[in-house]
Amino acid sequence: MIRFLHTADWQIGTQFGQFEPDEAAHLAEARFETVRRIAEEATARKVDAVLVAGDVFDQQTVSDTVIRRLFGALQAFSGVWIMLPGNHDAALVESVWTRAQRLNCIAPNVRVVLEPGVVLLDASRCAVLSAPLTQRITYDDTTAFFDAAETPPGYCRVGLAHGSVSGILQEGIDSSNPIAPTRAASARLDYLALGDWHGRYRVDERTWYAGTHEQDRFRANDPGFMLDVTLTEPGALPVVEAVRVGKYQWQRWEEVISVPTDVDALKARLAVLGAADVLRLVVSGTAALAEAEALHVAVEEARARVRALRAELGGLQVLPTAGDLAELGAQSGYLAKVVARLRGLQEDPQADPQQLKRAAEALLLLARLQRELPREARSA
């Protein structure tokens, strides 16, 4: 019997350039924190090994400090780690792995597999058939040798690879490295541990993607897990438990505003977000000036609570009502002409998105400036 954790796609060193620097720093740090959580869970669950199915690092050029920190994060588990190079950290002649070796930061219990072969875990009577990527993109199935690979009698056969199962994950795959969908059966594997797809995914009863341990994209494909796998004996079906370990949950909301209650509903949803949330918000539709202002305030208040927020509000047309205009003193005169011009830009069917965005922003800025004036000083 063997019990192990299956994880993958840590992408240590990811930069998160789409966010503000302070937000990006927290997101990058979370990837280390969750590795430490995996190590702690491995110890608490008394597993025999942790299998990391590729893309431990996001790129070959991460700093020496990042390399040292990653291997330091493994210390909470003194059992066996088996780490596989993927397409982002392929086992090139000179790679992040050879740098780690020169830094002498790889502990004796960590086995980095730089060449295809079989790693024997004799204490657990398990053979790990390992297919590291030795270049970023391959067009041959690196797991093909599994079929003929010999392992000791009575040992469980576990495959470890990084790539795309052909015909299963075509949309948005991270690399083109193909893996036959029948590999577990043809190679007589008890379990095939895969990396590359950033969400937890069951290909068949013996073939699984663990997904990234810490979500890194606005895609609802079940990220943020590790898999706790038990093999009772060779030939038995694996018992797989998905364990959530991720710190942050990324969400993408696309909201269309048509009536004031849509704004109220969105404000209520924003109000319950907290420090564990990363949000991308895309808003379109139309709103009166007062509702648009209230929504902008709600977004900025949410920004102060969540871990990271990207808000795209340029698709929201701001259409001041008669009440809005009266409140701002913009019913006549020069200010009324400015507001009419901005509204005209928003209603122009030939306007480009940037023009619409600038018009909405200008209306909101104008409203804020007017509200800061004493009522008697507002334009009339």
Side-chain angles (χ1 to χ4, degrees):
M1 172 179 171
I2 181 172
R3 183 181 182 187
F4 59 87
L5 300 182
H6 168 201
T7 179
D9 297 288
W10 292 352
Q11 310 285 151
I12 298 298
T14 299
Q15 297 297 307
F16 298 107
Q18 61 184 307
F19 297 102
E20 294 299 319
D22 60 326
E23 295 173 331
H26 283 287
L27 296 174
E29 181 61 27
R31 310 195 78 74
F32 290 102
E33 294 174 7
T34 306
V35 169
R36 285 190 285 271
R37 190 171 302 118
I38 291 171
E40 291 165 358
E41 284 286 336
T43 296
R45 292 167 180 265
K46 300 180 180 179
V47 300
D48 300 294
V50 179
L51 275 55
V52 190
D55 282 359
V56 174
F57 296 97
D58 185 59
Q59 52 190 326
Q60 302 281 9
T61 56
V62 296
S63 69
D64 290 353
T65 299
V66 166
I67 296 173
R68 288 191 171 98
R69 288 192 65 200
L70 180 278
F71 286 102
L74 309 181
Q75 293 178 359
F77 178 59
S78 59
V80 176
W81 294 83
I82 300 180
M83 311 191 85
L84 193 82
N87 58 299
H88 280 257
D89 53 7
L92 308 176
V93 174
E94 175 63 22
S95 70
V96 65
W97 303 105
T98 57
R99 288 170 56 208
Q101 290 172 334
R102 288 197 299 272
L103 291 171
N104 197 31
C105 59
I106 305 176
N109 63 313
V110 180
R111 304 187 187 183
V112 177
V113 184
L114 300 182
E115 296 180 356
V118 179
V119 177
L120 296 180
L121 302 179
D122 294 315
S124 307
R125 297 180 65 80
C126 180
V128 181
L129 289 68
S130 305
L133 290 180
T134 55
Q135 56 192 51
R136 184 176 178 87
I137 296 176
T138 64
Y139 297 98
D140 297 323
D141 187 342
T142 60
T143 67
F145 82 93
F146 288 1
D147 291 0
E150 296 184 0
T151 56
Y155 276 49
C156 291
R157 289 169 63 91
V158 174
L160 183 62
H162 189 90
S164 175
V165 175
S166 301
I168 300 294
L169 300 173
Q170 293 299 319
E171 183 180 354
I173 58 174
D174 194 42
S175 70
S176 59
N177 305 297
I179 296 174
T182 57
R183 183 62 63 211
S186 64
R188 308 172 309 286
L189 299 177
D190 296 293
Y191 184 84
L192 177 53
L194 295 177
D196 190 33
W197 184 247
H198 281 214
R200 177 184 56 154
Y201 190 87
R202 177 187 182 274
V203 177
D204 59 43
E205 58 192 3
R206 296 187 185 276
T207 306
W208 287 76
Y209 284 94
T212 184
H213 68 320
E214 185 66 42
Q215 189 168 357
D216 57 356
R217 303 173 186 179
F218 291 105
R219 180 183 292 162
N221 62 347
D222 233 4
F225 288 88
M226 66 177 184
L227 301 179
D228 184 333
V229 183
T230 300
L231 298 172
T232 56
E233 61 182 354
L237 289 177
V239 178
V240 181
E241 176 193 0
V243 182
R244 179 170 287 282
V245 292
K247 181 175 183 178
Y248 298 125
Q249 294 196 37
W250 295 40
Q251 303 176 66
R252 177 187 172 98
W253 296 355
E254 296 190 7
E255 306 290 330
V256 179
I257 304 299
S258 301
V259 293
T261 53
D262 292 337
V263 174
D264 293 336
L266 180 51
K267 287 168 58 182
R269 291 180 67 195
L270 288 167
V272 300
L273 295 176
D277 293 300
V278 176
L279 176 65
R280 180 179 182 187
L281 175 63
V282 180
V283 179
S284 60
T286 59
L289 183 56
E291 279 78 29
E293 287 182 293
L295 179 56
H296 276 254
V297 170
V299 168
E300 292 310 308
E301 290 175 346
R303 190 186 303 279
R305 294 192 308 273
V306 301
R307 181 65 280 155
L309 173 62
R310 288 186 62 196
E312 299 174 22
L313 308 182
L316 181 66
Q317 294 188 45
V318 181
L319 303 179
T321 64
D324 291 329
L325 297 177
E327 173 68 19
L328 297 177
Q331 294 171 295
S332 62
Y334 177 74
L335 187 57
K337 293 179 181 179
V338 172
V339 171
R341 173 60 176 159
L342 293 172
R343 289 182 64 177
L345 288 173
Q346 290 189 110
E347 294 167 357
D348 182 358
Q350 311 247 334
D352 64 65
Q354 284 303 312
Q355 179 175 298
L356 295 175
K357 179 181 178 181
R358 286 193 292 269
E361 289 174 345
L363 280 167
L364 290 168
L365 177 60
L366 183 62
R368 189 175 81 241
L369 293 174
Q370 282 294 101
R371 292 190 198 285
E372 290 173 353
L373 293 173
R375 181 175 291 273
E376 61 273 12
R378 295 177 188 174
S379 300

